[in-house]
Amino acid sequence: MSDDRLDANRAVSTTPPRLSIEIVTLVPEVFTSFLQASLLGKAVASGLIAVATTNPRDFAPGRHRQVDDSPYGGGPGMVLRPDPVAAAIDDVENRRGRAHRLLLSPSGQLFDQKCAADLAARGRIMLICGRYEGVDERIAQLYADQAVSIGDYVLAGGEVAAAVVIEATARLVPGVLGCGESVVEESFSAGRLEFPQWTRPPLFRGLGVPEVLLS
């Protein structure tokens, strides 16, 4: 069975990661470069965060490994079958332990900073990404501890939404950001937007910096 350990090349650490993220997805390659770049990539490389992807197609029945089927009741598009998704989740948790399961769904609660902080404190989370017209409702009923949406618009799948959740959550894990005060003083941390910022040069295309900041 495929289990693409994206943290496989991280530095050897004697301590467990502060946050482990399991991603159940049909397109694990979406996450490869995303999880190797910038501060998030450094956190994975140093062992602060561990990430693994599991593909439900590896658990699909039949020679063609079919993961989707037409919806009962008719309608356009295809629906992701519950059996390969459930088998993927079971396999991950049988080998590495229970995780807080998050289903990326347009009908879920709106993902916000408070939700990100809650996930960062859980230590181990799983992101279940849908495709096609969505995931069979029985996955939501039997497996999801929580369903979240990143906004009222249509995406081809849950992978981009999962990336948003990962970045917003991982940066709240102690040690990921170089400056701890960045998390405390940034937008939404206290229910407000962060104040405007300026840097050099002091004059840019006719616009200057507020005098009080230059004094």
Side-chain angles (χ1 to χ4, degrees), residues 8-81:
N9 295 321
R10 68 183 174 89
V12 176
S13 175
T14 57
T15 58
R18 292 182 176 176
L19 179 65
S20 293
I21 303 172
E22 301 281 356
I23 310 171
V24 177
T25 172
L26 290 174
V27 281
E29 58 271 20
V30 167
F31 298 96
T32 304
S33 60
F34 169 72
L35 290 166
Q36 293 174 349
S38 192
L39 290 173
L40 185 55
K42 292 179 180 178
V44 172
S46 68
L48 280 173
I49 295 173
V51 184
T53 62
T54 302
N55 194 333
R57 194 175 299 280
D58 293 335
F59 302 86
R63 185 178 64 179
H64 299 294
R65 300 289 189 184
Q66 184 177 351
V67 295
D68 61 334
D69 212 328
S70 55
Y72 283 120
M78 303 290 275
V79 176
L80 193 55
R81 293 170 52 122

Side-chain angles (χ1 to χ4, degrees), residues 24-26 54-61 67 80-94 101 103 126 128-129 135-144:
V24 177
T25 172
L26 290 174
T54 302
N55 194 333
R57 194 175 299 280
D58 293 335
F59 302 86
V67 295
L80 193 55
R81 293 170 52 122
D83 41 339
V85 176
I89 295 171
D90 290 341
D91 180 74
V92 167
E93 294 190 339
N94 286 339
R101 304 166 184 158
L103 176 65
M126 176 182 290
I128 306 168
C129 304
V135 185
D136 187 291
E137 181 63 19
R138 287 166 289 188
I139 291 297
Q141 294 176 358
L142 296 173
Y143 279 89

Side-chain angles (χ1 to χ4, degrees), residues 93-113:
E93 294 190 339
N94 286 339
R95 289 186 292 116
R96 291 195 287 275
R98 181 71 157 86
H100 180 74
R101 304 166 184 158
L102 213 69
L103 176 65
L104 284 309
S105 168
S107 62
Q109 72 179 79
L110 186 64
F111 180 71
D112 58 14
Q113 191 74 2

